[in-house]
């Protein structure tokens, strides 16, 4: 058996937290040799973190052309800023220890598991309603409580017991015995009288006259006999089932008595070996603690690195986002400036061509020869240019302010970080990742110190690790004292001797019980079979009699099948008279035994009255003093001991010892962990400083914030882009001209219309579409810049302040995390001690040295005797008694029904209150004198 006790938290560092604003799948940050690294997963591309909407240098071609919709909203950026501020302001030392992992669960081997008393329980059955009915009947028969005075006299001085006292207590059973005696005498006497009457042709003969009510009486008798037979059949089936159940439970129940006593003796005899086994299991936590000590120093270093890395990389991620904003904004400003110039030039080029085309189309549509052209003339006259991008504000001032920016090579920085990430990914499974020789322009050499934290922790903690290993050897000697001081082996001998005597003395009684149960089962099976034979006679007699009546034309005619039915009924009556006294004797014998077991033993066992009787001084003779024989505490009794054992007390808590033994005092955790905990608590270490941003990068961001990009009126661009390049749709006008061409009868006009339509299509495809593409490109840049500009200065200021705050807090929080991790490791190792000591206490109380098997054995005895044997036993005599008593109405109905199956003596006789039968000349063969 494997015992598992869950830990509260491990000391090993958890996975590094994700950077603020990032996602657990979109980006994974790492820091090696002082450079931030982001590893982007293609599978998580849609959820990648983009705090400012700007692209990053490694992917300039793709990110610089992303749609403006990729920018986060102002609310999202505000939430990200608040989360970053929480990380910076929340002390690292206040973070909770890492969650418990499966490796923190100690597994102890239980070699004592095979010596146990299995608990038995009442099994729900379909016969439970019958069992409950029988118990209520017995409670009605025996309403007296436990006869303590009578039992005290019977146990201490059997000769002083008076018969009157027994009769008074057993009054209900005496009344039942009188009823059984009356039944035993009356039914055979009635049977002899019936035989005498049959010999004189008086009982079970023929009807003397035919009456109209005979049919109703016959059906009533058939129904009553059928109902009685059905009740008897149900009862005999229940008797068969319960008898078989008693037989099936009796043999294992009797065998469980010596087996339980032997198991209890083995349980007590194996206490010393079990205690030593429990002590030897300290090897499990000792090996686990030694293993944890081997990885403590690197684990603490990596945990400090990982927890500071989250805050550091959040700041670096913010710096990278601002760099991306700078590059992407510069790119979009250049696109905006170039696109506006291109649109203005294209408009100037398109204006004269569009004016000439309008003149030609209007002239053609005004031609009288042009059929149905007036409907299109208005659209042609409104053919003119739309948007004018010469009116939008210029961004040349912003571009001049950003000239020469960025001075830091952001693209090269991200490319180098990506290379470092690949190298680390290949070597991270073999220990500490190798630092790269490349340097990032934004990071100082302080990051090298940050990455050397794990090696520094290993060096500083080497001595304390060795001291803790030596301490574990001394703790092992302290744990051995638990087995050396355990007091039970000298005090369990009386219990073992009492169990041996009980086992030896019970064997003869158990054999006798088994022998009498065999006789009961045989007698019950034979008598139940006779009842089934009586029922078979009833069914056969009723079937033949009813069939004979249906075939008989005249009531006075002789019919062999009806006569056979009457004889079968009389045969059943004879069997009932013959065996009823045997049935009632078996019923009363089993009733007397099972009823007294239920009312005298089981009922008082359930309500604990038996234990109270045993606990009362003077009720038991000195030779049966269980407290002395079992060496129980002198201030205790059987009831208290049973309750203590039931609740899981140990044997040393219920036995009489020379001196008190407090197991909890021996299992206090500080007794074994004080020195271990003190050595870890006294350890301290110091780490270096770290810088994140150089002056060149700071100047680039400050220039970006002062560039004036947020002062440009981007709403003017958006208003102008709402206007089309040409007011009238050229494709629509061209299709209208093509439609008019098909309606013309004049070929010249039709040809001119077709030519003008082609010219409009050419203008649309060559000039207007290119301008629309420039407008779409301009819209992307305007939308990006309009969403970024209002928050630009606030974001840059927040980023610079965050970077400075992180650089100042890193050394302080590193020391806090060191104390936190050592504290978490200490608590984890103390939980290993606590798990083991808790398991020791639990195992000694509930298994190795538990007295619970004694309570379990008593409960099992009640379950076997009362629930598994007494209940079906009582249900057997109850069912058989129902069969027996219902034989009386069965005899009456069968005898009366016999006359109806035989021919009537004289069908012409009728009473004065009934009408005579219709007159007819009878056949000669029908007259039977």
């Amino acid at each position: 058996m494997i015992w598992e006790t869950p830990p509260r938290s491990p000391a090993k560092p958890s996975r590094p937290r994700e950077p603020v604003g990032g996602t657990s799948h979109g980006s994974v940050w790492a820091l090696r040799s002082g450079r931030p690294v982001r590893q982007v997963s293609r599978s998580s591309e849609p959820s990648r973190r983009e705090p400012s909407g700007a692209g990053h240098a490694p992917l300039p071609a793709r990110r610089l052309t992303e749609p403006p919709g990729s920018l986060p909203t102002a609310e999202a950026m505000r939430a990200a800023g608040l989360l970053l501020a929480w990380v910076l302001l929340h002390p690292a030392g206040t973070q909770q220890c890492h969650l418990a992992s499966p490796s923190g669960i100690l597994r102890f081997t239980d070699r004592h598991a095979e010596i146990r008393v299995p608990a038995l329980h009442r099994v729900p059955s379909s016969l439970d309603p019958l069992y409950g009915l029988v118990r209520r009947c017995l409670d009605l028969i025996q309403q007296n409580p436990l006869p303590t005075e009578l039992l005290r006299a019977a146990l201490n001085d059997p000769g002083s017991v008076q018969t009157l006292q027994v009769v008074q207590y057993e009054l209900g059973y005496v009344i039942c015995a009188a009823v059984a005696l009356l039944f035993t005498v009356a039914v055979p006497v009635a049977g002899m009288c019936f035989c005498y009457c049959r010999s004189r042709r008086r009982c079970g003969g023929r009807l003397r006259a035919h009456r109209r009510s005979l049919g109703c009486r016959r059906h009533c008798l058939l129904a009553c006999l059928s109902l009685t037979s059905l009740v008897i059949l149900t009862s005999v089936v229940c008797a068969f089932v319960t008898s078989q159940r008693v037989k099936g439970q009796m043999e294992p129940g009797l065998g469980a008595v010596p087996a339980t006593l032997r198991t209890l003796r083995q349980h007590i005899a194996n206490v010393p070996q079990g205690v030593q086994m429990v002590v030897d299991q300290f090897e499990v936590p000792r090996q686990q603690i030694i293993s944890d000590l081997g990885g403590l120093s690197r684990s603490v270093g990596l945990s400090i690195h990982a927890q500071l890395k989250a805050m550091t990389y959040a700041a670096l991620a913010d710096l990278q986002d601002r760099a991306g904003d700078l590059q992407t904004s510069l790119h979009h400003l250049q696109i905006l400036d170039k696109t506006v110039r291109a649109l203005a030039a294209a408009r100037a080029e398109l204006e004269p061509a569009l004016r000439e085309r309008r003149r030609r189309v209007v002239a053609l549509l005004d031609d009288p020869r042009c059929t149905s052209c007036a409907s299109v003339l208005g659209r042609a006259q409104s053919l003119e240019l739309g948007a004018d991008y010469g009116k939008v504000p210029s961004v040349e001032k912003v571009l001049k302010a950003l000239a020469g920016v960025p001075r830091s090579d952001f693209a090269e920085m991200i490319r180098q970080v990506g290379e470092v990430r690949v190298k680390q990914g290949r070597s991270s499974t073999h220990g500490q990742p190798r630092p790269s020789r490349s340097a990032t322009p934004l990071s100082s050499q302080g990051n090298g110190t940050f990455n050397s934290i794990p090696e520094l922790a290993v060096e500083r903690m080497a001595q304390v690790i060795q001291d803790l290993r030596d301490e574990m050897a001394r703790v092992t000697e302290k744990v051995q004292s638990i087995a050396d001081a355990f007091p039970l082996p000298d005090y369990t001998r009386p219990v073992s001797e009492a169990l041996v005597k009980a086992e030896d003395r019970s064997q003869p009684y158990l054999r006798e019980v088994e022998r009498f149960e065999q006789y009961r089962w045989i007698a019950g099976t034979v008598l139940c079979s006779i009842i089934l034979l009586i029922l078979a006679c009833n069914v056969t007699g009723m079937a033949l009699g009813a069939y004979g009546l249906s075939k008989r034309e005249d009531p006075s005619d002789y019919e062999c099948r009806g006569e056979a039915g009457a004889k079968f009924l009389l045969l059943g009556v004879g069997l009932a008279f013959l065996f009823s006294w045997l049935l009632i004797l078996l019923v009363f014998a089993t009733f007397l035994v099972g009823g007294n077991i239920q009312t005298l033993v089981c009922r008082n066992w359930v309500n604990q009255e038996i234990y109270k009787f045993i606990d009362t001084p003077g009720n038991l003779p000195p030779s049966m003093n269980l407290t002395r024989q079992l060496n129980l505490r002198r201030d205790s009794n059987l009831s208290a001991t049973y309750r203590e054992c039931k609740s899981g007390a140990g044997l040393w808590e219920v036995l009489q010892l020379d001196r008190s033994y407090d197991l909890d005092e021996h299992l206090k955790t500080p007794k074994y962990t004080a020195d271990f905990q003190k050595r870890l608590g006294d350890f301290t270490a110091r780490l270096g400083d770290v810088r994140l941003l150089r002056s060149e990068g700071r100047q680039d961001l400050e220039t970006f914030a002062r560039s004036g990009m947020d002062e440009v009126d981007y709403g003017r661009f958006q208003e102008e882009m709402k206007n089309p390049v040409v007011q009238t749709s050229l494709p629509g006008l061209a299709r209208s001209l093509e439609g008019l061409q098909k309606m013309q009868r004049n070929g010249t006009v039709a040809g001119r219309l077709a030519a003008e339509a082609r010219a409009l299509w050419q203008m649309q495809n060559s000039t207007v579409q290119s301008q629309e593409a420039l407008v779409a490109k301009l819209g992307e840049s305007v939308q990006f810049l309009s969403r970024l500009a209002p928050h630009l200065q606030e974001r840059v200021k927040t980023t610079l302040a965050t970077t400075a705050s992180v650089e100042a807090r890193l050394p302080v929080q590193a020391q806090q995390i060191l104390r936190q991790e050592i504290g978490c490791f200490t608590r984890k190792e103390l939980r290993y001690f606590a798990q083991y000591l808790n398991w020791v206490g639990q195992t000694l109380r509930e298994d190795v040295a538990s007295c619970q098997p004694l309570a379990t054995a008593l409960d099992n005895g009640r379950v076997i005797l009362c629930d598994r044997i007494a209940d079906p036993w009582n249900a057997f005599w109850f069912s058989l008694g129902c069969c027996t008593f219902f034989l009386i109405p069965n005899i009456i109905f069968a005898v009366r029904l016999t006359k109806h199956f035989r021919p009537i003596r004289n069908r012409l006789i009728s009473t004065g209150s009934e009408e005579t039968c219709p007159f007819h000349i009878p056949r000669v063969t029908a007259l039977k004198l």
Side-chain angles (χ1 to χ4, degrees), residues 393-416:
S394 174
V395 295
E396 292 183 1
K397 180 180 177 181
V398 179
L399 290 174
K400 289 180 181 179
L402 294 175
V405 174
R407 286 179 287 274
S408 297
D409 191 355
F410 295 106
E412 180 64 19
M413 176 195 69
I414 299 299
R415 187 187 65 79
Q416 291 179 357

Side-chain angles (χ1 to χ4, degrees), residues 209-214 217 908-917:
H210 176 79
R211 297 178 178 85
R212 291 191 175 185
S213 60
L214 288 180
R217 292 181 182 178
L908 298 178
I909 300 176
S910 62
T911 61
S913 61
E914 297 180 349
E915 298 180 2
T916 58
C917 297

Side-chain angles (χ1 to χ4, degrees), residues 38 49 51-52 54 56 316-326:
R38 168 175 283 180
R49 180 180 182 270
S52 65
H56 297 296
L316 290 176
D318 208 23
L319 286 174
Q320 187 177 7
D321 291 338
R322 298 292 79 76
D325 290 345
L326 171 60

Side-chain angles (χ1 to χ4, degrees), residues 195-209:
C195 292
Y196 176 77
C197 291
R198 281 296 298 152
S199 65
R200 303 298 299 241
R201 297 181 177 270
R202 293 185 178 275
C203 298
R206 303 179 184 180
L207 292 174
R208 295 185 177 276

